[in-house]
Amino acid sequence: MPLTPPTVLVIAGNDPSGGAGIAADIQAVTAAGAHPAPVITALTVQDTVNASAVEPAPPELVAAQAAAVMADIPVAAVKIGLLATAGIARAVAELLAQHPDVPVVLDPVLVAAGGARLAEDELVDVVLERLCPLTTLLTPNALEIRRLAPAGNSTAERTATLLDAGCDWVLAKGGDETDQGAEVVNTLYGAGAPQVFRWPRLEGSFHGSGCTLASACAARIALGEPVDTAVARAQALVHGWLERAFRPGRGQLVPLRRPR
Amino acid sequence: MPLTPPTVLVIAGNDPSGGAGIAADIQAVTAAGAHPAPVITALTVQDTVNASAVEPAPPELVAAQAAAVMADIPVAAVKIGLLATAGIARAVAELLAQHPDVPVVLDPVLVAAGGARLAEDELVDVVLERLCPLTTLLTPNALEIRRLAPAGNSTAERTATLLDAGCDWVLAKGGDETDQGAEVVNTLYGAGAPQVFRWPRLEGSFHGSGCTLASACAARIALGEPVDTAVARAQALVHGWLERAFRPGRGQLVPLRRPR
């Protein structure tokens, strides 16, 4: 009997294009070496260009899906993507508070890559007040950092607010900051001095790169790597998948989330 | 730029254990060499033992997800799993009738592995009357063959009914017929004489093996293989994934759907 891969409970919306959302999570967790257990928060109508509808599930149905998994399978890490409503976020926080030892990677999905707003304002409050205290690793992009911590004057100041809210680590992603020029600079804040990761900026625009990175981080944490090691390893995996990205439709590129 | 994998539109329910349903489809399509575009028909509350709830999506939301993909991405094959309601089945049939050249693999999911009934009787009628005429390859197990064609006296007779209903090919799967002893015998009916495939019966009970095989068939058809070649190749892939299966929870084994 082969080794049993550790299970990552993935809480996210479905993107029918297969570029982002639960498909990205399932592929990334699998390719990074773990078993994905998918809990769906919302169905979206979406293609590789943008999202046109978001239909959230009832919070109790999201909680029931996750509770069924957690009662049956030892969950080694949780990855949270689109929560869609404050009610779902509260239901998820309530469940996770009963499992304080399970590491949580929270990708605070607030807008779709095409710009469509995916989250109501109340959700931002629940993320800060209820989910950040349960979060091991938060993975916001620059837009999300500004929406979660609007008062700060710099990324470092805003990130400090998110660490104060209770996140153990914050990976501030620079992929959408195109004034960084030929590099993408991601900075990991948490224990010790910030760790800076620099990656060659790839041409084109990618659908689902955020979901992909957060899921790869969760998988590596589930495999037992320390958070900073997992973050470094996950970025290397994702960079490889982005280098091999393809364009299935008229819109953005999709990372090829497969072992080489 | 690497080759673009062909897209398989996958229409199925979500199983939060990650053993069956859309996660099985996404992993199997990916590992078999294609890009999965997932359309969700229903959320289920389910673990590796059995399903306790099925919450179907509104038919128009299922159709909208699929239509968004088909307007954006050239779809090379469609794989249909759990349809859950007659309304969803009718909506899917209506959409697919507009794309008569796209091959369709239909896995007629009617009961969960643990025995929970996943389909109402009216759905069986819609499958026979509306979907079979659009189906390239039907992949029923022995229970499903008996439910779809109760009048026949043998698998061959029952399969003839399903070919008459309009399916081009029927792969009658023997995995659940334990009186076959040490072998699993699958038989492909369609053009020419039936083709018999024999596989060593593996120990244990598997969650999601049906979804996995149908998705692998769809991926190989999407890659351009003739149906009988695709069916042979998909079985070989799935047999390898079943040999490496693992037990994430208290219940059934889950195939390790990853390239070696």
Side-chain angles (χ1 to χ4, degrees), chain B residues 137-141 145 169-173 186-189 195 197 213 217 231 235:
Chain B
L137 173 65
L138 187 77
T139 62
N141 61 28
I145 290 178
W169 301 82
V170 176
L171 179 66
K173 298 179 296 186
N186 299 330
T187 309
L188 181 64
Y189 298 86
Q195 296 178 51
F197 301 90
L213 178 57
C217 289
V231 165
Q235 287 175 86

Side-chain angles (χ1 to χ4, degrees), chain A residues 1-259:
Chain A
M1 177 91 116
L3 284 175
T4 297
T7 294
V8 176
L9 184 76
V10 176
I11 301 173
N14 182 60
D15 166 9
S17 82
I22 206 81
D25 296 326
I26 288 168
Q27 289 182 325
V29 166
T30 304
H35 170 66
V39 167
I40 306 273
T41 56
L43 302 186
T44 73
V45 177
Q46 185 169 172
D47 59 22
T48 59
V49 179
N50 207 350
S52 63
V54 178
E55 298 288 341
E60 55 275 20
L61 179 56
V62 176
Q65 294 175 71
V69 173
M70 294 190 103
D72 178 34
I73 302 177
V75 168
V78 175
K79 186 263 168 172
I80 304 175
L82 178 67
L83 287 164
T85 69
I88 293 174
R90 270 190 289 265
V92 167
E94 213 158 287
L95 185 76
L96 294 183
Q98 298 165 29
H99 301 270
D101 295 336
V102 178
V104 174
V105 177
L106 174 57
D107 186 31
V109 179
L110 303 172
V111 289
R117 206 167 160 113
L118 295 176
E120 56 192 10
D121 287 332
E122 195 191 349
L123 172 58
V124 173
D125 299 336
V126 181
V127 166
L128 289 168
E129 288 159 28
R130 302 284 304 273
L131 284 170
C132 281
L134 301 166
T135 295
T136 310
L137 172 65
L138 187 78
T139 61
N141 61 28
L143 277 171
E144 288 156 354
I145 291 177
R146 281 192 279 271
R147 187 141 175 225
L148 289 170
N153 289 311
S154 66
T155 299
E157 271 187 40
R158 293 191 182 97
T159 305
T161 304
L162 299 173
L163 293 170
D164 286 346
C167 301
D168 296 332
W169 300 82
V170 176
L171 179 66
K173 298 179 296 186
D176 59 345
E177 304 217 82
T178 44
D179 60 352
Q180 289 181 346
E183 284 189 330
V184 170
V185 181
N186 299 330
T187 309
L188 180 64
Y189 298 87
Q195 297 178 50
V196 178
F197 301 91
R198 296 174 185 279
W199 297 94
R201 182 175 291 277
L202 299 169
E203 253 184 80
S205 146
F206 298 92
H207 197 63
S209 51
C211 312
T212 304
L213 179 57
S215 280
C217 288
R220 302 307 303 187
I221 290 170
L223 286 160
E225 291 180 354
V227 172
D228 50 354
T229 308
V231 165
R233 177 78 180 129
Q235 287 176 84
L237 286 168
V238 173
H239 191 76
W241 301 334
L242 292 173
E243 281 181 322
R244 295 183 291 149
F246 61 99
R247 191 185 303 276
R250 301 164 306 162
Q252 295 181 302
L253 295 162
V254 169
L256 191 73
R257 291 167 287 247
R258 248 188 237 171

